[in-house]
């Protein structure tokens, strides 16, 4: 299968894979060759791309997943390969988000802090796979 991970700024990854695992708003899903066509709304997650004996990990900050004719496409605002992630920076972001959650006075602040926390956790999870 072919896959492309695209943001507004660049093609993050393009290549052949044997399996795709990601998380949509409906839960985690896996795609193997010859899967039926589908389209899914992605959540903030760590996507796994498996090819032969190698597994690549990418943080996906939400977006759209499309699969048709053994070609997958992920369109997202932000995506990072695990080797691009600065784990120390992600830990600091997680700490800041948790502090904001503990201090959140307005509901919109809590929602922003929850989103920041989810992004930081995804980055940390992906960075541990380097």
């Amino acid at each position: 299968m072919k896959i492309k991970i695209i943001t507004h700024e660049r093609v993050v990854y393009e290549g052949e894979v044997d399996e795709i695992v990601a998380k949509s708003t409906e839960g985690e899903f896996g795609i193997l060759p010859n899967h039926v066509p589908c389209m899914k709304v992605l959540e903030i997650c760590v996507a796994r791309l498996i090819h032969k004996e190698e597994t690549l990990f990418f943080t996906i900050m939400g977006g759209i997943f499309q699969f048709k004719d053994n070609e997958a496409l992920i369109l997202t605002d932000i995506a990072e390969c695990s080797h691009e992630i600065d784990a120390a920076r992600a830990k600091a972001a997680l700490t800041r988000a948790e502090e904001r959650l503990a201090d959140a006075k307005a509901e919109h602040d809590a929602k922003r802090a929850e989103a920041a926390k989810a992004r930081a956790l995804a980055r940390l999870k992906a960075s541990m796979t380097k």
Side-chain angles (χ1 to χ4, degrees):
M1 300 181 294
K2 294 180 181 179
I3 186 166
K4 270 189 186 180
I5 301 174
I6 302 172
T7 69
H8 298 288
E9 298 173 353
R10 66 187 177 122
V11 174
V12 177
Y13 180 80
E14 182 174 9
E16 294 283 330
V17 295
D18 301 318
E19 183 178 353
I20 303 164
V21 179
K23 185 176 180 186
S24 75
T25 55
E26 300 169 336
E28 190 171 73
F29 65 92
I31 301 290
L32 295 171
N34 302 314
H35 193 284
V36 297
C38 64
M39 184 173 272
K40 298 182 178 289
V41 176
L42 296 174
E43 289 200 347
I44 295 171
C45 67
V46 176
R48 295 188 314 269
L49 307 182
I50 302 161
H51 184 62
K52 297 182 182 175
E53 300 298 317
E54 183 180 18
T55 303
L56 300 174
F57 296 87
F58 294 85
T59 56
I60 306 295
M61 302 303 174
I64 301 293
F65 174 86
Q66 177 183 327
F67 185 80
K68 182 180 178 187
D69 298 328
N70 281 325
E71 293 188 8
L73 178 63
I74 294 176
L75 299 173
T76 181
D77 288 332
I78 301 169
E80 302 156 313
C81 186
S82 61
H83 70 271
E84 299 173 332
I85 296 168
D86 180 342
R89 185 174 171 204
K91 285 179 187 175
L94 177 60
T95 300
R96 285 192 309 274
E98 288 173 339
E99 288 170 358
R100 284 196 325 245
L101 279 171
D103 254 2
K105 294 179 178 139
E107 187 176 319
H108 76 282
D109 288 340
K111 288 180 182 179
R112 287 179 35 205
E114 282 290 343
K117 181 178 178 180
R119 288 190 300 273
L121 287 171
R123 286 184 173 118
L124 285 172
K125 184 177 177 182
S127 73
M128 289 185 220
T129 63
K130 292 181 189 179

